[in-house]
Structure formats: C-alpha cells, structure tokens
C-alpha cells in the first residue's frame, strides 16, 4: 500500500474509560496517560482519523476534572494546521444529529488536523429527558464527531435505521456504520424482529456500484455468550460488512478473526486501562492501525507502553504440597511467596515499558477445605509496593469438579464476569411474582432503574414517566379526533329533537338551563300545581295568564319524584359525557295538600314581577309563611340564578296577543353554568 493518496489510515481503539479511579492517589492518571499515548500514536503514524469504539468516559456524568483533562488532550493533538486528506460525501445532517450537522474539520472557525470519530458505550450512553451524554459536550465543542446515536423512544422493540458515514479518499471508498450501545436484551429482540434494524446502503452514483464500498461497522455490545439473550451473535449482522470493530469487551483480541460463513472479520482491541482485575485484563494492551485501499486492508497492532503492569494468578490451596490446612501460617507464607515473585517480575524494565510503575496484583485463591484470610490485613505489608494493596486476594470456592474427558475445557471467554453476577432485572421480578404491569411498561422501568443506579441519573424515572404520558396523550388525542362531534352539530341535533317534541321545547330549554337545581325545580312544580288547582277548584282567584301558560305547557323536574301521576318521558342522548337533557311532561293530579299550598304559591308568583332588573333575578326570596315547604323560594345552588321569574319572562316574550306585555322590557335568558351544552336559540 505504497500509494498514500488512495490509502486511508485509521487508528482504532476502544474502552478508554477516562476518569476511572480518579480518586485513587496511585491510579488516578492511568486512563488519561493511556489516552494521551493513543493520540500521540495517531500523530506519529500520520493517520487520517481516530476511530473509537465506545466508553470514552467511565461514567455517564464525568467530573469537571475528567472533562477538563479530556478536552486538554483533544485540543493538544486534534487542533492543528495539518491538512485533512479525505472527504465525507454522505448527508452529514443525518450522520451527526447535532445543532451544526457537519463534520468538525469543515467548520471554518476551527483548525482540526486530526478528526476523531466515536460512538457511545454503555458507560457514557445518552440519558435523561434531553437524551444527552458527555460525548455530546465534546461534540458541541467541535472536538469529536459523534455518530451512531439512535433515538429509540418509547417502549416495545422499536425500530432503527443505521446510516453510514461515507468517506472518500482518492479511489478508496469507505462506508462507516456506527451503532452506539443499546441494551443487549432489546437489541437482541430487534435483530430477531423483521425490519426492526434497517441497514442503509450507499447509492450508486458516478459509475460506482455498491460493491465498491469497503463497509466497516463499529458497535459496543456484549459478545460473551454466557446468556444468549444478553449478548449479540455475530450471525445477526449483515453479510455485506467487511470489517467489524467490537467494543465493550476488555480482553485484547486485536488480530482480526474471520467469522465462518459470514465473510467479515472482527477485531476486539479491548480496553486501554484495566478496570476489572480478571484474567482477560492481564493480557498486553494494544491499538490497531488499519490501512485500507480499495477493498483490501492491512492491520498492524501497536502495543501501549504507558499501561500499568497487571499480573494475575490462580491458586488452589488443596493442590499445593507445602500448605497445611491446619496451619494458617503455611498458607500465608505460600501466598506471600507468590506475590513477591509477581512483584519482582513486574519490576524488571522492558523495551515496551521503559518507566516502571507500581504493578497491579490479583491472586484468585480457591480455599476449599481451608479458612479464609483477611485480604486487607494481608495487603498492608505491600503498601508502596503494589498499586492495589487492599484487594490483592480474592477468595472463592470451586463447585463440583468439571468433567473434562471428552468434553474439553471451557474457554476463558465463557467465564462469568464479576459485574454480571447477582443482578436481577425488573422483568425477572415481575415474572417471579406473577405481577401485571398496567401503567408503565416493564422494559422502560428496567432501563430507568439501570440509569438511576448505575449512572446516577436522578431524573431517570421522571423521564420514563413523562415519555409514557406523552405517548398516552398522543394516542388518546388521535382516537378522540376520529369521533369528535362539533358543538354546532350538537346544537342542530338538540334543535331537531326539540322540534319533534312540539310545544314542549320551551320547557325543555328551561330544563336544560337549570335541570340540576332541585329548589328551582320545586318552584316550577309548585307553580304548575297552583295553576291546576285554580283551574279545577272554585273559590280561588283566577291565576294570571303566565301561570296558565306554564300549566298548559307543563314543567320539568328530575326523575326522582313520587306520586300516582302517569308520566311520559323523552330522552335526548348526546355523544359527549354529561351532556344529556330530559324532556318530561306530566299531568299533575290535584291532591289534598294542594289547597294548603296554593296561598303560598300565589305569593311566590306575585313576588316575581317582570319589572325586576336582570341583576335581581337570582336574588334570594323572602321566606313564605308556613315554614319550610316545597314551594319555598331559595337561592340557586352553586351560583345558579334560574328561578320562576326568568321562566315567566321567557314565556311572556313570546306572547304576541297580550297588549300589556308589549311595553315590558324583555329579560335576558338565565346564565348557563358548567359544561352541560345548553341550547342556543336562533
């Protein structure tokens, strides 16, 4: 690959975990020293850009100190006058969904000589109401190009579309796909759901075909198959890919490995700093220099020299000859011997580590048949000699001995990692207790709990609740629009129904305006009884024409009265809730107690003269003689001002035959309260 103008040079690294152990006096700068060495290697090898595979930060909300140190390193190595020799020919507003929507080196206000492309991992993934992460801060500062950010939104499996960043350098065309970390269980279901994950291919243009593109995928997911549902199988990925950069796994497997039957190769650079003191982290750390020309590539692994040395050993006490189960001193002597040998081994300077650092030592002790030792007391003698004196020893008991004959040993990659033990998800708790979640989805609650505990996101549950409430409101509004009935339609329907009832429409309107007022209803009923009594009985003064009209048209009251009268009822049903009006007519028979109430009713009618001003319509009446009777005037409940005087004024406005009524001012209709859909007269 001697033709530099057509060769794209990329430095690949993953899992830098900036800010890890920042409060430890010995190990606080380990992650920054390794990251600065990576940027220095990119500058020395004159790469076109740096490609990071997630977990740039160790925490979702890094401290101010971590952010400052990271920005200082990126500013030192990325901002310079070196020319950028490749082009991004895809739609950058889709690739980089921020406010600026362009690759950082094209900004005329910045001199970016070393572009950095990165996705997010599970430690620094976006969270909160605004779906932001610490990488968004670096992107807003124009220091990195953040791609592969997927906004799943809502519950359920969801759908995503993966758009590539199309990079062109001479005759080399690279389609760079990025897939930021998604919860393994959810992404596993998405891959098994048809059309849930859509891979967008480059369009054919300028005589180029799709096969001319070299396709690279960067993802950050669990690869160890301890649980098939919590890991991503390589066979889920599309076959058109050529090269895959797999982040999240800290074991350094830098040499590309071909997946049988798939046609692509996978490289696993591993972490640049040891965060879990296990066997996989003890392997030497490397980064990968990837050179691409046309459809061919050449990988070159580069060791990291600034990484703190880490030595790991396993001891089975019952297999050791010089250890006595009844003599604890012999156990301590044997373990001290192992630690001293590891310290002496790490203290020897090598070509890859010119500067000696205090090593990390981890001994896994199988103490079956023995008593344990206090690890902190054991490590006190190694303070100043090792970087982790408080946790040199870790004790465990082996289960039943594995049958290795004919089966083969279990690969180291299949071992359970410490951080995955003793974890229960909400799905498991719900299934175990046979609970039924009816308000919030289980998947969303599980994600919110994870963000609250692991990422210290105090707004995780609030964001989950707000998102589900917004989805529910949107769904209800869309359903309501289908069955919505306009107010004018209701008015027309009520008018048609009232026309069918004939002369009872006036009373229906009065009933609609005040049908929920019990005391006003009693006054109207009493007026009707008074009129009937004056018409049938002799010896009483002839009632007024208004009262006679009220008696002829009938009155309405709520359907809970009792009596021997036969009743006819017509009900108008409306589609809106609480919008119903009942039009009833009844013939009220004379009873023995009507004679006792007639004088009181006449007083009520006489006191309701039409000369009253509209403001006095709803004023409280004076209590009549005879105590608290059914015909007693009272103040309308809850501010309703409809009474018998308003009914009379409404009836008198329609009487054209009475000459005396022409000179009287017409009173406005009673005020309608609540949302009962009163009928407007046209």
């Amino acid at each position: 690959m001697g033709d530099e103008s057509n060769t794209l040079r990329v430095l690949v690294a993953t899992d830098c975990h900036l800010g890890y152990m920042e409060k430890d006096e010995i190990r606080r700068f380990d992650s920054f020293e390794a990251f600065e060495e990576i940027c220095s290697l990119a500058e020395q090898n004159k790469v076109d850009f740096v490609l990071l595979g997630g977990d740039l930060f160790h925490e979702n909300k890094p401290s101010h100190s971590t952010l400052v140190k990271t920005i200082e390193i990126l500013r030192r190595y990325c901002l310079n006058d070196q020319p950028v020799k490749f082009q991004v020919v895809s739609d950058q507003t889709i690739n980089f969904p921020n406010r600026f929507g362009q690759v950082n080196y094209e900004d005329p206000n910045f001199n970016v000589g070393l572009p950095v492309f990165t996705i997010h991992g599970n430690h620094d993934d976006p969270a909160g109401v605004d779906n932001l992460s610490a990488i968004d801060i670096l992107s807003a500062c124009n220091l990195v190009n953040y791609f592969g950010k997927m906004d799943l939104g809502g519950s359920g499996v969801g759908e995503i579309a993966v758009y590539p960043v199309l990079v062109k350098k001479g005759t080399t065309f690279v389609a760079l796909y990025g897939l930021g970390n998604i919860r393994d269980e959810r992404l596993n279901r998405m891959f098994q759901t048809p059309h849930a994950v859509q891979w967008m291919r480059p369009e054919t243009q300028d005589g180029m075909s799709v096969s001319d593109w070299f396709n690279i995928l960067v993802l950050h997911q669990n690869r160890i198959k301890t649980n098939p549902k919590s890991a991503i199988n390589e066979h889920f990925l599309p076959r058109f890919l050529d090269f895959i950069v797999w982040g999240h796994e800290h074991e350094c497997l830098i040499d590309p490995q071909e997946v049988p039957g798939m046609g692509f190769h996978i490289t696993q650079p591993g972490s640049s700093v040891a965060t879990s003191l296990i066997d996989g982290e003890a392997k030497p750390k490397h980064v990968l220099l990837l050179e691409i020309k046309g459809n061919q590539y050449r990988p070159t692994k580069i060791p990291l020299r600034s990484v703190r040395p880490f030595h790991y050993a396993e001891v089975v006490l019952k297999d050791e000859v010089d250890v006595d189960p009844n003599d604890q001193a012999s156990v301590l002597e044997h373990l001290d011997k192992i630690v001293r040998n590891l310290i002496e081994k790490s203290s020897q300077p090598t070509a890859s580590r010119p500067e000696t650092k205090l090593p990390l030592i981890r001994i896994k002790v199988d103490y079956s048949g023995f008593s344990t030792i206090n690890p902190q007391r054991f490590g006190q003698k190694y303070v100043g000699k090792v970087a982790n004196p408080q946790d040199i020893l870790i004790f465990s008991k082996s289960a039943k001995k594995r049958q290795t004959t004919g089966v083969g040993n279990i690969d180291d990659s299949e071992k359970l990692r410490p951080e995955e033990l003793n974890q229960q998800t909400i799905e498991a708790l719900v299934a175990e207790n046979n609970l039924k979640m009816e308000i919030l989805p289980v998947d969303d609650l599980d994600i919110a709990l994870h963000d609250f505990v692991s990422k210290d996101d105090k707004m995780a549950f609030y964001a989950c609740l707000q998102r589900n409430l917004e989805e529910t409101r949107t769904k209800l509004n869309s359903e309501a629009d289908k069955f919505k009935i306009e107010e004018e339609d209701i008015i027309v329907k009520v008018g048609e129904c009232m026309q069918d009832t004939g002369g009872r429409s006036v009373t229906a309107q009065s009933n609609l305006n005040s049908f929920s007022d019990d005391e006003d209803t009693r006054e109207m009923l009493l007026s009707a009884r008074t009129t009937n009594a004056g018409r049938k009985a002799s010896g009483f003064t002839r009632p007024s024409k208004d009262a006679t009209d009220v008696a002829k048209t009938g009155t309405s009251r709520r359907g809970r009265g009792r009596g021997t009268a036969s009743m006819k009822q017509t009900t108008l049903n409306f589609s809106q809730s609480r919008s119903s009006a009942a039009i009833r007519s009844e013939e009220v028979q004379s009873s023995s107690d009507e004679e006792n109430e007639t004088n009181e009713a006449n007083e009520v009618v006489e006191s309701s003269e039409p000369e009253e001003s509209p403001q006095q319509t709803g004023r409280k009446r004076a209590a009549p003689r005879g105590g608290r009777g059914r015909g007693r005037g009272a103040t309308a409940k809850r501010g309703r001002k409809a009474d018998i005087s308003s009914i009379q004024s409404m009836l008198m406005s329609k009487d054209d035959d009475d000459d005396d009524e022409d000179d009287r001012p017409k009173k406005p209709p009673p005020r309608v309260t609540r949302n009962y859909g009163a009928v407007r007269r046209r």
Side-chain angles (χ1 to χ4, degrees):
M1 295 187 181
D3 191 0
E4 294 293 335
S5 61
N6 296 322
T7 303
L8 188 68
R9 298 167 61 86
V10 182
L11 188 70
V12 181
T14 63
D15 297 88
C16 296
H17 287 272
L18 297 177
Y20 176 72
M21 297 291 289
E22 63 178 345
K23 295 182 180 180
D24 188 279
E25 292 297 329
I26 299 176
R27 304 164 62 184
R28 57 182 304 185
F29 298 114
D30 287 1
S31 60
F32 300 104
E33 292 175 354
F35 182 63
E36 188 166 5
E37 182 184 1
I38 293 173
C39 295
S40 177
L41 290 173
E43 184 181 57
Q44 294 173 15
N45 290 274
K46 299 180 180 180
V47 301
D48 292 299
F49 62 86
V50 176
L51 182 61
L52 302 179
D55 277 354
L56 177 61
F57 293 99
H58 182 68
E59 295 181 359
N60 182 262
K61 296 180 180 180
S63 65
H64 294 172
S65 176
T66 298
L67 281 175
V68 169
K69 290 184 177 66
T70 304
I71 293 174
E72 288 175 349
I73 295 173
L74 291 173
R75 180 177 175 179
R76 176 181 178 183
Y77 289 95
C78 297
L79 301 183
N80 52 58
D81 294 331
Q82 296 295 326
V84 177
K85 301 178 181 179
F86 67 92
Q87 297 177 347
V88 176
V89 297
S90 57
D91 189 352
Q92 299 181 19
T93 59
I94 299 178
N95 299 140
F96 313 111
N98 53 25
R99 182 175 181 180
F100 305 98
Q102 65 177 0
V103 67
N104 64 345
Y105 67 84
E106 291 185 357
D107 193 326
N109 300 314
F110 290 83
N111 288 331
V112 179
L114 179 61
V116 176
F117 292 83
T118 181
I119 63 173
H120 66 259
N122 61 309
H123 281 258
D124 52 10
D125 60 335
V129 179
D130 296 325
N131 197 35
L132 297 176
S133 70
I135 304 180
D136 285 292
I137 300 177
L138 301 181
S139 177
C141 296
N142 209 43
L143 295 175
V144 300
N145 298 291
Y146 181 18
F147 72 112
K149 183 178 181 180
M150 303 296 170
D151 187 9
L152 298 177
S155 58
V157 177
E159 295 181 358
I160 58 174
V162 186
Y163 290 87
V165 179
L166 302 182
V167 178
K168 178 183 177 182
K169 183 180 182 182
T171 59
T172 300
F173 305 94
V174 175
L176 181 60
Y177 293 86
L179 186 59
N181 177 263
I182 301 175
R183 209 163 51 98
D184 292 308
E185 293 82 358
R186 185 170 189 174
L187 185 59
N188 193 300
R189 294 196 302 267
M190 293 177 69
F191 275 126
Q192 301 183 56
T193 303
H195 310 295
V197 181
Q198 300 180 7
W199 302 89
M200 314 306 293
R201 303 295 303 276
E203 298 180 356
T204 58
Q205 56 183 354
D206 299 335
M208 293 178 52
S209 62
V210 179
S211 60
D212 293 335
W213 292 88
F214 187 82
N215 302 288
I216 300 177
L217 170 64
V218 187
L219 78 163
H220 191 99
Q221 302 294 150
N222 190 8
R223 192 181 178 189
I224 297 179
K225 303 178 183 62
T226 55
N227 183 3
K229 293 184 179 180
S230 61
I232 303 302
N233 195 317
E234 296 92 343
H235 293 82
F236 289 159
L237 303 177
R239 296 177 182 271
F240 69 82
L241 296 174
D242 299 303
F243 195 82
I244 296 177
V245 178
W246 203 297
H248 182 65
E249 300 295 343
H250 285 201
E251 183 179 1
C252 183
L253 301 175
I254 198 70
D255 296 322
Q257 302 174 355
E258 183 178 2
V259 179
M262 298 302 293
F264 51 73
H265 295 76
I266 298 179
T267 180
Q268 182 178 304
S271 64
S272 58
V273 59
T275 59
S276 300
L277 301 183
I278 57 177
D279 189 16
E281 295 264 27
K283 295 182 179 180
K285 304 292 185 181
H286 294 82
V287 292
L288 182 68
L289 175 61
L290 186 64
E291 298 175 281
I292 306 171
K293 181 180 180 181
N295 288 329
Q296 299 178 350
Y297 74 91
R298 180 175 63 189
T300 303
K301 61 181 181 179
I302 303 175
L304 295 177
R305 300 181 178 182
S306 61
V307 178
R308 186 178 298 276
F310 172 41
H311 298 282
Y312 179 86
E314 293 186 1
V315 177
V316 181
L317 293 179
K318 65 181 179 180
D319 295 340
E320 301 296 332
V321 180
D322 57 344
V323 176
D324 185 3
N326 299 322
D327 186 6
Q328 192 175 22
S330 63
V331 177
L332 290 174
E333 183 180 357
H334 181 76
L335 295 178
D336 285 333
K337 181 179 178 181
I338 297 176
V339 173
R340 287 195 299 268
N341 291 336
L342 294 177
I343 294 176
E344 183 180 357
K345 180 181 178 181
S346 63
S347 62
Q348 298 176 358
T350 59
S352 60
R353 292 191 181 94
E355 181 183 355
T356 58
K357 294 183 177 181
L358 295 181
L360 295 169
I361 304 295
R362 169 58 60 89
I363 300 177
K364 185 178 180 180
V365 182
D366 184 354
Y367 68 103
S368 300
F370 291 78
S371 59
T372 60
I373 301 173
N374 190 333
Q376 295 182 352
R377 183 178 301 175
F378 177 83
Q380 287 179 357
K381 65 184 76 172
Y382 297 104
V383 174
K385 298 180 181 180
V386 298
N388 60 323
Q390 70 279 3
D391 57 356
I392 296 177
L393 302 180
I394 178 172
F395 292 93
S396 66
K397 277 188 176 181
S398 61
K400 294 182 180 180
K401 193 172 183 179
R402 301 183 180 93
Q403 300 295 331
T404 59
T405 57
V407 178
N409 295 328
I410 297 179
D411 189 77
D412 292 339
S413 62
E414 301 295 327
K415 294 180 180 179
L416 288 175
R417 290 179 295 180
E419 61 266 20
E420 292 184 351
L421 298 177
N422 301 325
Q423 291 185 356
Q424 269 191 313
T425 60
I426 290 184
E427 294 100 323
L429 294 175
V430 170
E432 180 181 352
N433 296 278
N434 295 324
L435 300 176
K436 183 178 180 181
M437 305 294 291
E438 297 180 352
I439 300 178
L440 296 177
V442 177
D443 294 341
D444 289 4
L445 281 179
D446 192 16
I447 297 175
L449 179 62
H450 174 72
D451 293 345
F452 182 81
V453 175
S454 302
K455 303 173 184 177
D456 194 25
D457 185 5
K458 297 179 175 58
M459 301 295 292
F461 289 102
Y462 175 78
C464 173
L465 177 61
Q466 291 296 115
R467 183 170 59 251
N468 283 276
L469 284 177
E470 186 64 27
E471 290 181 358
T472 304
R473 291 192 188 101
T474 303
K475 183 177 180 181
L476 291 177
N477 291 335
S478 61
E479 293 178 355
D481 291 340
K482 299 178 182 178
F483 305 101
K484 186 177 181 180
I485 300 178
E486 299 295 338
E487 182 181 358
E488 297 297 332
D489 297 336
I490 298 176
I491 295 173
V492 172
K493 290 183 179 181
V494 173
E496 293 176 355
C497 295
M498 293 178 64
Q499 290 178 2
D500 295 339
T501 59
R504 294 189 295 270
S505 60
V506 177
T507 307
Q509 181 177 357
S510 175
N511 184 39
L512 284 172
N513 290 334
S514 57
F515 68 90
S516 62
D517 195 335
D518 294 341
E519 296 188 2
D520 293 340
T521 303
R522 292 171 182 172
E523 291 182 1
M524 291 186 291
L525 178 59
L526 182 56
S527 299
R529 290 182 175 178
T530 305
T531 304
N532 291 334
R535 185 172 55 191
K536 292 184 178 182
S538 59
F540 291 92
T541 305
R542 178 179 176 84
S544 63
K545 188 175 182 296
D546 299 332
T548 306
D549 292 338
V550 173
K552 287 181 180 180
T553 56
T555 57
S556 300
R557 63 189 181 95
R558 301 183 74 171
R560 60 179 182 180
R562 295 181 233 175
T564 58
S566 59
M567 304 177 64
K568 298 179 181 179
Q569 176 177 336
T570 303
T571 305
L572 303 179
N573 295 326
F574 305 108
S575 60
Q576 294 183 347
S577 62
R578 299 180 63 186
S579 299
S580 63
I583 302 177
R584 302 180 181 179
S585 61
E586 62 175 332
E587 294 293 337
V588 182
Q589 302 295 333
S590 300
S591 56
S592 59
D593 59 342
E594 288 180 352
E595 297 179 357
N596 297 330
E597 297 176 344
T598 301
N599 293 331
E600 299 176 2
N602 289 335
E603 292 179 3
V604 173
V605 173
E606 291 174 0
S607 62
S608 304
E609 292 299 328
E611 285 80 10
E612 292 178 337
S613 61
Q615 292 80 359
Q616 296 175 348
T617 304
R619 186 172 298 173
K620 185 174 180 181
R621 308 295 182 188
R625 297 186 306 273
R628 186 177 180 86
R630 294 184 61 184
R632 177 176 176 264
T635 305
K637 291 183 178 180
R638 299 182 184 89
R640 293 183 178 84
K641 299 180 180 180
D643 56 5
I644 191 64
S645 63
S646 62
I647 298 175
Q648 289 181 349
S649 62
M650 182 171 53
L651 294 177
M652 287 186 296
S653 63
K654 291 189 174 183
D655 191 1
D656 298 331
D657 297 335
D658 193 351
D659 296 334
D660 296 336
E661 302 295 334
D662 294 338
D663 298 335
R664 296 180 180 178
K666 296 182 180 180
K667 294 187 177 182
R671 181 172 62 87
V672 182
T673 58
R674 288 196 177 184
N675 298 323
Y676 289 126
V679 180
R680 294 203 300 264
R681 298 182 58 187
R682 298 182 181 274

